[in-house]
Amino acid sequence: MRIVMIGAGYVGLVSGACLADFGHEVVCVEVDESKVASLREGRVPIYEPGLSELVLANQAAGRLTFTTSLKAAGRGANAIFIAVGTPSLAEIGSADMRFVHDAARDIAGVIEDFTVVVVKSTVPIGAGDEVERIIAERAPRDRFAVVSNPEFLREGAAIEDFKRPDRVVIGVEDDRAREVMREIYQPIESNGGPIVYTSRRSSEMIKYAANVFLAMKVTFINEIADLCERLGADVLDVSHGIGLDDRIGRRFLNPGPGFGGSCFPKDTLALTKLAADAKAPIRLVETLVDVNDKRKTAMAAKIVAACGGSVAGKRIAVLGLTYKPKTDDMRDAPSLVIVPELQAAGARVVAYDPEGLRTAKPLLPGVEFADNAYACLKGADAAVVVTEWDEFRALDLARVKASLAAPIMVDLRNIYPIKAMKALGFRYVCVGRGFGGEG
Ligand code: NAD
């Protein structure tokens, strides 16, 4: 199949590289010239485990190319995927569809033979109709079909998720388009991956409902963690105890500083807006958005409390800045609220992140950045784990204590054993583990 991928970001680049790896011929079209230039030189502009190797191998095999021009790439394509961003519209909260609509207009200008237009971006229910309308302004309706094919990959495990997904969802109402989609995803289907065919609107809804449900699980366990801190229970035992119930499941029951990232915050917000506009408000989701926003500020207050009620003039070492490990993505990361809150309370913040320093630096003015964890901790009045990178799990805790000016560790990801931390003489404050999070 000849495939065009519009947008070479976290989703477009991974999807394009994986589809090329399946044997398809893929051209990624990206407006950002610097991204295209660096990809052509074999440099991948984002951090995603295994992606550089996959891109390089498929470039070398001649199956994956990059361009800024859809005109040349689009002609003769069997399918053109739209994988551009759909960020939150400021103040309003609904998905900003500008980039998707621009892409649809570009596509309308290049369609010659029958082409399947695949919306991979996360879009509001009904967005496929609008994409169809925009393309039909210039291209005859019998020459294209618009399909919804939302993406469920997780950053940090994106290649595995794309190649061996829990399911592929395809919202298609045109038989020719269905055959093209079947052929594109045949390698996954033959590998036993379930393909769910549904209507376009149901497919669009599946994506929002899935993300919101997961965000709800995270928020639920965060609130249970707060209650555990009041009542002296251990949230990790609670997660384990409830998660063994098949109806509940263990995943996404890890308490922390509130969800962030490129999807949950904007998608939960977009669904509340969509629901309100449809006169069917989802109060559960409205509440979780509010609870999650407030949680990030509450985490800063937790750090201040652990430092004896004030961080004024204190040096606080922050370990981890990205919204989760194994990515350099800083979109809506809890650190973007927690760090400025600490600074506003008078703290001097020094931070380290294994892969996120390049993306974090412009977003966190006034922060001193360290080259490694021990350099970050040196002479600090307290340490805070914000992101649970593996390399923080195995730190030499005696050396951590010796590096710090005061043995205070606030672990917002529960990565250290309480007993060992206490035995070492730390004031160890974590999330939801006994009274006040102190065991
Ligand atoms: P991103 O910002 O990393 O990438 C989008 C890319 O599209 C950018 O490089 C941008 O320059 C490019 N672009 C914008 N308009 C363009 C145009 N007209 N032509 C060519 N290129 C254009 O975004 P992302 O994280 O890859 O997300 C893309 C979509 O996928 C969003 O709707 C998101 O909600 C959804 N999604 C993201 C993830 C994730 O983990 N990041 C997971 C599932 C779904």
Side-chain angles (χ1 to χ4, degrees):
M1 285 269 139
R2 288 200 54 207
I3 294 171
V4 169
M5 187 67 61
I6 301 183
Y10 287 86
V11 165
L13 191 54
V14 169
S15 306
C18 289
L19 289 170
D21 210 45
F22 285 152
H24 298 304
E25 191 186 319
V26 180
V27 184
C28 289
V29 179
E30 167 60 56
V31 275
D32 185 333
E33 288 176 9
S34 66
K35 276 190 190 172
V36 172
S38 92
L39 284 161
R40 281 179 170 169
E41 286 165 14
R43 281 181 291 113
V44 170
I46 54 171
Y47 174 73
E48 175 62 42
L51 187 57
S52 282
E53 294 82 345
L54 197 70
V55 168
L56 283 175
N58 284 283
Q59 264 177 316
R63 289 190 297 262
L64 181 63
T65 53
F66 300 95
T67 177
T68 50
S69 162
L70 178 63
K71 261 207 177 94
R75 298 229 151 81
N78 301 100
I80 304 180
F81 282 70
I82 300 177
V84 300
T86 47
S88 289
L89 266 176
E91 316 281 316
I92 302 167
S94 47
D96 185 348
M97 291 296 290
R98 204 166 9 136
F99 307 110
V100 173
H101 293 165
D102 285 349
R105 272 184 283 275
D106 292 346
I107 292 169
V110 301
I111 283 179
E112 286 174 348
D113 302 323
F114 180 71
T115 309
V116 181
V117 177
V118 187
V119 182
K120 189 161 261 315
S121 301
T122 303
V123 294
I125 292 83
D129 301 2
E130 182 61 9
V131 168
E132 189 173 283
R133 194 195 60 71
I134 291 171
I135 298 175
E137 281 175 4
R138 284 182 67 190
R141 275 192 185 266
D142 61 352
R143 292 232 188 116
F144 72 96
V146 175
V147 170
S148 161
N149 171 221
E151 185 50 55
F152 299 94
L153 62 76
R154 294 161 299 166
E155 289 175 19
I159 294 171
E160 181 67 13
D161 283 352
F162 190 93
K163 288 189 157 186
R164 271 169 283 277
D166 291 339
R167 78 302 204 189
V168 172
V169 174
I170 299 174
V172 56
E173 287 153 35
D174 177 289
D175 289 342
R176 287 175 301 173
R178 192 185 163 104
E179 277 319 300
V180 170
M181 295 305 286
R182 191 189 296 284
E183 211 169 310
I184 289 174
Y185 282 109
Q186 190 276 332
I188 291 177
E189 195 170 15
S190 65
N191 222 357
I195 315 278
V196 177
Y197 290 98
T198 178
S199 72
R200 204 160 64 195
R201 281 180 178 245
S202 300
S203 166
E204 292 164 342
M205 181 64 104
I206 287 169
K207 175 62 192 173
Y208 274 111
N211 268 5
V212 167
F213 188 84
L214 293 173
M216 208 166 63
K217 264 186 115 173
V218 174
T219 307
F220 169 79
I221 205 64
N222 281 341
E223 295 219 282
I224 292 291
D226 288 351
L227 190 57
C228 286
E229 288 191 8
R230 291 292 170 127
L231 302 179
D234 187 331
V235 71
L236 296 192
D237 290 344
V238 177
S239 289
H240 184 59
I242 63 174
L244 287 171
D245 186 328
D246 275 349
R247 294 168 301 177
I248 296 172
R250 177 63 186 84
R251 293 167 79 188
F252 278 79
L253 287 180
N254 301 316
F259 60 76
S262 57
C263 292
F264 286 4
K266 77 174 175 67
D267 294 346
T268 45
L269 205 55
L271 191 69
T272 61
K273 183 75 179 90
L274 203 64
D277 289 350
K279 308 255 177 303
I282 310 186
R283 282 173 38 219
L284 194 63
V285 185
E286 288 170 7
T287 304
L288 89 86
V289 168
D290 185 43
V291 168
N292 191 64
D293 283 348
K294 294 198 169 107
R295 184 164 190 84
K296 296 175 186 172
T297 316
M299 289 299 115
K302 186 181 179 86
I303 297 162
V304 172
C307 292
S310 169
V311 288
K314 290 186 179 161
R315 185 174 169 85
I316 308 293
V318 172
L319 296 178
L321 295 168
T322 51
Y323 83 94
K324 68 172 180 180
K326 296 190 190 161
T327 183
D328 58 355
D329 201 338
M330 283 293 295
R331 284 178 282 188
D332 273 311
S335 66
L336 294 175
V337 175
I338 294 170
V339 169
E341 288 275 341
L342 294 174
Q343 289 171 316
R348 287 174 294 126
V349 175
V350 52
Y352 166 67
D353 188 281
E355 294 290 343
L357 291 181
R358 185 185 55 84
T359 41
K361 278 180 183 173
L363 303 172
L364 291 169
V367 170
E368 181 185 325
F369 294 95
D371 290 338
N372 62 66
Y374 293 112
C376 180
L377 296 163
K378 198 165 178 232
D381 298 293
V384 183
V385 175
V386 176
T387 314
E388 69 281 31
W389 285 90
D390 277 347
E391 69 171 71
F392 302 150
R393 293 179 190 274
L395 287 177
D396 173 347
L397 294 172
R399 189 172 162 200
V400 169
K401 187 171 173 235
S403 304
L404 290 167
I408 300 172
M409 168 69 78
V410 184
D411 177 3
L412 301 181
R413 300 291 185 169
N414 292 338
I415 63 173
Y416 299 123
I418 291 178
K419 265 196 190 145
M421 294 302 279
K422 292 216 159 145
L424 279 164
F426 275 97
R427 168 146 203 227
Y428 179 60
V429 179
C430 46
V431 180
R433 308 199 63 192
F435 286 109
E438 292 194 62

